[in-house]
Amino acid sequence: MSHPHTHLRPGTPPPLAGAADWRAWSQAWTQHVPLLTGRTDLTVLVAPGAAGDAPECFYPALNRIEVDATYIAERPDVTDPAKARHKRLVPTGYGLLVHGAAHAAHSRWTTPPGTPPILATVADLLEESRAEGRQRARRRGDRRWLRHVVTTLLDPNGAAVDDAWHAGQLAALFLARVDARIVTSKDVRPVRAAVTGVLGRKRLRQLRDIWREAHTCDDTDADTMICLARRWCQVLGIDPDQQYDTPVPDAGLFPGRLAAALVDYLAVAAGATPAEYATALLAHRHSPPADWHRTDPTEQEHRAARDLANRLRQARTRHPEPGRRPSPIPPGRLRTRHAITADAQTAAGQMPTAAPWQQRAQLPPEKPRLHLAVLVDLSGSMARYTQAMSSAAWIFANAARRAQATTTTIGFGDRTTVLVPPRTYPRQVLHMRTELATATFPEAVKVADQLLDLRHGRALRMLAVVSDGYLDDIPAGQQLVTTLHRAGCAVLWLHPADPPTDGEPADPDQIWGHTFTHATTLAVTDPAEAIAAIADAAVTALTQA
């Protein structure tokens, strides 16, 4: 979810390119904003990339509201902003303007000097619903537009883990808007259940008392807002005099019920299923760069895909032959000679020993579907593996189409890139490029889990990592690998047998060839060997399933 500090900022923003194209919007909204705020000293800037990394923000020192034009439309001629009807055509963009107006009109207090950052953060969290509630009370019709931007101001990454801090943050930014009469209790029902599951009913009631008291604070009452922030931290078990900074999520933990509940809400608001919304969100965040080039697959790659598909199909359909046993009673196959013998024994007054029926043992259950995620290290030391693994991504995806399997290939480096999403069968080979670092390995594992549900389900789950182990956050990576192992997901780690040519890294926290526990580690001498090892492991896992 968006951090409140992104909506209320000190300082002066940098100049923006493209502001001239949206000058008519800036002028129209500058003329309109006194109606929303009751202030005549405000200006509005509309431009692509305005508001920094937030959809909207307010600069008190400049008396300026900025709105990112990308949340309005792709082009400025979508409608005439000087006409009243334009707000119905761009409800999200206009809602952002109303949200900024709420801060401009009612966020008149400033954090006292020397306040611990964590208290300032909590006070800003409480200010979000307080300002919107005051705006709605003053202009009841603005509730309609504020409801449009609740989904824009929330981000599932803000509920990255299920701990008290992030549950409280979600409660302040979402549940508190119910008491501010922006959203309804029905809207927040799944999120409230998730927050209650993390905090418990007692602590959530205490937090609700705090944010309801914040809603009654005066627009300039900074001292009360900071006192309420201190009480908030005490309820969550945080001592702001010992922990000055805002808690950060543990990179070694997977997202839990908080993120799932928030995604469910955002999906409903977007008119999509949770799976469709999550897929669209991943595509937006982790799509390949535009400068990665594509080539048609070679005949060798086509042949490799066919061979792997045949091996996977054989492994999936190969079952031990059911045993046969004789039986004196049906069902089964009647054996005529044994039936005649049994009748003769009965006619002679003997106990029949012949078994005229032949039964087969029950066939084994169908083998589970294979879910295979391949993670490729895109750091500079793995340069000679990227092209081969790009080819492997195409081979695995097209083999899976013929073998009732699901695969995905993800690159991790400076950013996480989904090269081939699940259940997609690319016609061309997309070639990865190396980057400078491997900072996103934990994120790549989480994305793989989100795409293929590696921690749950009845599928045969497997994670294959092609990396030299020279990672930025080894403890978090180890924690994630252990979690997958304990959940029944096999982890195969393939690293080059030879060290990088420029020498081993000197950073003691980044060790070349680091071996992870709870993972099967294989040293490979060339990229082809890595591809073959992944294919063999997948076939073996299916054969033994």
Side-chain angles (χ1 to χ4, degrees), residues 272-346:
T273 66
E276 291 171 345
Y277 181 84
T279 300
L281 190 63
L282 285 173
H284 174 71
R285 291 177 175 170
H286 304 297
S287 57
D291 58 350
W292 286 8
H293 71 281
R294 302 173 184 267
T295 59
D296 293 329
T298 64
E299 180 56 35
Q300 183 180 4
E301 289 167 338
H302 278 289
R303 184 167 57 252
R306 290 193 298 268
D307 292 344
L308 179 56
N310 291 334
R311 293 179 63 192
L312 292 174
R313 280 201 303 266
Q314 292 175 3
R316 181 175 176 80
T317 58
R318 184 182 300 138
H319 294 284
E321 185 67 22
R324 295 180 174 85
R325 60 183 178 86
S327 173
I329 59 175
R333 180 180 179 182
L334 179 64
R335 301 187 297 177
T336 306
R337 188 177 69 177
H338 292 271
I340 295 173
T341 301
D343 289 343
Q345 290 174 336
T346 302

Side-chain angles (χ1 to χ4, degrees), residues 63-137:
N63 294 331
R64 186 165 83 191
I65 300 171
E66 290 193 1
V67 179
D68 188 347
T70 58
Y71 291 89
I72 300 175
E74 294 182 358
R75 301 186 309 173
D77 59 355
V78 62
T79 184
D80 185 356
K83 296 183 178 180
R85 68 173 182 268
H86 84 280
K87 63 183 73 173
R88 294 193 297 272
L89 300 178
V90 290
T92 299
Y94 185 76
L96 291 173
L97 175 65
V98 174
H99 180 83
H103 282 300
H106 300 289
S107 299
R108 297 296 191 96
W109 61 273
T110 57
T111 304
T115 302
I118 190 171
L119 292 183
T121 298
V122 173
D124 287 338
L125 289 170
L126 297 172
E127 179 63 19
E128 288 294 287
S129 60
R130 193 199 73 84
E132 288 188 358
R134 288 297 180 88
Q135 181 75 11
R136 186 211 61 83

Side-chain angles (χ1 to χ4, degrees), residues 124-349:
D124 287 338
L125 289 170
L126 297 172
E127 179 63 19
E128 288 294 287
S129 60
R130 193 199 73 84
E132 288 188 358
R134 288 297 180 88
Q135 181 75 11
R136 186 211 61 83
R138 186 168 51 83
R139 291 175 47 87
R140 294 184 179 275
D142 285 349
R143 175 181 182 269
R144 170 186 178 184
W145 312 111
L146 290 172
R147 280 181 59 84
H148 273 289
V149 298
V150 170
T151 56
T152 306
L153 299 175
L154 296 175
D155 181 0
N157 284 344
V161 295
D162 288 349
D163 60 12
W165 170 260
H166 289 87
Q169 180 174 286
L170 185 55
L173 291 180
F174 195 34
L175 302 187
R177 281 185 163 102
V178 175
D179 289 313
R181 301 182 66 181
I182 304 301
V183 297
T184 66
S185 296
K186 183 179 178 181
D187 293 333
V188 305
R189 191 174 299 161
V191 175
R192 187 186 300 278
V195 172
T196 303
V198 176
L199 294 178
R201 295 182 182 275
K202 180 179 179 181
R203 283 201 291 181
L204 182 56
R205 282 197 301 268
Q206 293 172 334
L207 295 184
R208 187 188 184 198
D209 291 340
I210 294 173
W211 76 58
R212 294 181 74 175
E213 187 174 342
H215 291 172
T216 65
C217 286
D218 187 76
D219 291 345
T220 59
D221 193 353
D223 293 336
T224 300
M225 293 297 292
I226 298 302
C227 289
L228 292 175
R230 183 173 291 275
R231 283 174 51 193
W232 184 280
C233 290
Q234 291 172 350
V235 171
L236 298 181
I238 299 173
D239 184 355
D241 296 323
Q242 299 295 326
Q243 182 172 338
Y244 282 74
D245 297 324
T246 303
V248 295
D250 186 347
L253 296 178
F254 286 96
R257 65 179 76 178
L258 295 177
L262 187 53
V263 167
D264 288 347
Y265 168 77
L266 295 174
V268 171
T273 66
E276 291 171 345
Y277 181 84
T279 300
L281 190 63
L282 285 173
H284 174 71
R285 291 177 175 170
H286 304 297
S287 57
D291 58 350
W292 286 8
H293 71 281
R294 302 173 184 267
T295 59
D296 293 329
T298 64
E299 180 56 35
Q300 183 180 4
E301 289 167 338
H302 278 289
R303 184 167 57 252
R306 290 193 298 268
D307 292 344
L308 179 56
N310 291 334
R311 293 179 63 192
L312 292 174
R313 280 201 303 266
Q314 292 175 3
R316 181 175 176 80
T317 58
R318 184 182 300 138
H319 294 284
E321 185 67 22
R324 295 180 174 85
R325 60 183 178 86
S327 173
I329 59 175
R333 180 180 179 182
L334 179 64
R335 301 187 297 177
T336 306
R337 188 177 69 177
H338 292 271
I340 295 173
T341 301
D343 289 343
Q345 290 174 336
T346 302

Side-chain angles (χ1 to χ4, degrees), residues 482-527:
T482 299
T483 301
L484 290 179
H485 169 77
R486 292 174 177 172
C489 175
V491 181
L492 175 65
W493 197 287
L494 306 168
H495 71 78
D498 51 337
T501 56
D502 56 351
E504 296 185 5
D507 190 339
D509 295 329
Q510 299 175 321
I511 305 172
W512 175 85
H514 175 79
T515 301
F516 284 78
T517 58
H518 302 125
T520 301
T521 304
L522 297 177
V524 293
T525 57
D526 57 68

